Amino acid sequence: MPESTQLVVEYELPTMRVVPSVSEYRYAKTKDEHTEKARLGRNSGARMSASVRA
């Protein structure tokens, strides 16, 4: 609207399904071992996406 001084931008974020379930991989050389650090649980992700929509 030319009369308005407000800019509104709408866009869609990807769903939580495209976000990997692992947030971090580590390799311990002394133990010759790989470990994974899990991302936030699905419930936390749902709360996060709900707050982004607001």
Side-chain angles (χ1 to χ4, degrees):
M1 301 181 96
E3 306 85 33
S4 178
T5 59
Q6 183 178 15
L7 172 66
V8 177
V9 178
E10 293 183 24
Y11 59 94
E12 288 187 34
L13 296 174
T15 63
M16 291 299 290
R17 291 182 182 167
V18 298
V19 178
S21 59
V22 178
S23 67
E24 180 179 310
Y25 293 96
R26 288 189 177 198
Y27 174 70
K29 186 176 180 179
T30 56
K31 296 180 182 181
D32 191 30
E33 175 179 281
H34 291 79
T35 57
E36 300 176 348
K37 181 178 178 185
R39 193 164 296 281
L40 295 175
R42 288 218 180 262
N43 291 339
S44 298
R47 281 183 296 197
M48 182 173 64
S49 64
S51 65
V52 169
R53 277 185 260 137

